[in-house]
Amino acid sequence: MENGEPLIKGDIMKKTEKVLHVLRTLEDICIVVPMGVIVVLVLMNVFLRYILGTGFLWSDEIIGFAFVLVGMIGSAIAVREDNHTYLDSFVLKLKQPVQKIFYLFNQIMIAFMLVFFTISGILFAFSVGEQVSSMNHIPMYIPYSFIPIGTGLMLAEQIILFVQRAKCGVMYWEPKQYDE
């Protein structure tokens, strides 16, 4: 039985890594596609407005929705890559055991806030009923769902980052070196 246990753990790790790879690929696609749409529509509108004196009003709404999606998914990617801004100058002056307490408290508060925003976002997205956007008649639950999708992904990435740091024993802030 002992020989089978590492195999099971190894299989679980491989499946977990595969799921994470798919999730992160989807996150990347959900950044690239809307960004491409934004660039194409903005360039198209600039050309139409300044060269031909006309434009597509419907594109402004799509650009706005795509921009929100990019921001929400981009925040999750920033969590994944640990690139959010830290206001840690005070905490870094403390001893490591105290830093660990602050770090753990901070991670718990972040998780609670993301759970709150995810649940609230889901409730809000479902509360709009039959409301549609004014120009394109897109059901508003679609752009409103970008909020819980983004915060849910941020929560998942935050948990993954926390577990990775816990496995490495890094339960405190590491001073970041910024290129000037």
Side-chain angles (χ1 to χ4, degrees):
M1 194 63 149
E2 290 178 22
N3 293 340
E5 287 179 28
L7 180 62
I8 292 171
K9 288 180 183 177
D11 287 344
I12 292 171
M13 290 302 294
K14 286 179 185 177
K15 289 179 182 178
T16 303
E17 288 174 10
K18 188 180 261 188
V19 168
L20 286 177
H21 178 72
V22 169
L23 173 71
R24 291 174 172 172
T25 301
L26 286 173
E27 286 176 347
D28 293 341
I29 290 168
C30 286
I31 286 285
V32 171
V33 171
M35 236 8 232
V37 168
I38 290 169
V39 169
V40 167
L41 290 177
V42 167
L43 290 174
M44 183 178 68
N45 266 333
V46 167
F47 174 76
L48 289 172
R49 287 184 183 152
Y50 289 103
I51 305 298
L52 303 177
T54 187
F56 296 128
L57 292 177
W58 58 266
S59 67
D60 292 340
E61 194 172 78
I62 301 295
I63 291 168
F65 293 159
F67 192 75
V68 171
L69 179 61
V70 167
M72 295 307 294
I73 304 296
S75 293
I77 292 173
V79 171
R80 174 199 330 162
E81 296 177 2
D82 199 20
N83 280 333
H84 278 285
T85 303
Y86 295 113
L87 302 174
D88 56 3
S89 58
F90 168 72
V91 177
L92 288 173
K93 293 179 182 176
L94 301 172
K95 295 184 177 167
Q96 254 188 19
V98 179
Q99 280 187 32
K100 288 181 181 184
I101 293 168
F102 273 97
Y103 182 79
L104 187 59
F105 176 75
N106 185 45
Q107 297 305 307
I108 291 169
M109 293 306 298
I110 288 170
F112 278 126
M113 293 297 292
L114 289 173
V115 167
F116 172 77
F117 285 127
T118 302
I119 292 170
S120 297
I122 291 168
L123 294 174
F124 182 70
F126 283 120
S127 73
V128 296
E130 301 293 320
Q131 184 181 2
V132 295
S133 64
S134 59
M135 196 56 70
N136 296 311
H137 303 287
I138 296 170
M140 289 306 292
Y141 67 83
I142 293 173
Y144 289 156
S145 69
F146 297 161
I147 295 168
I149 290 169
T151 55
L153 288 171
M154 282 185 256
L155 179 62
E157 293 291 356
Q158 189 71 31
I159 291 169
I160 292 165
L161 181 65
F162 180 79
V163 169
Q164 288 172 342
R165 291 177 70 104
K167 282 183 179 179
C168 296
V170 183
M171 298 298 290
Y172 53 87
W173 284 277
E174 295 177 297
K176 292 193 175 197
Q177 301 298 322
Y178 298 100
D179 296 330
E180 294 184 24

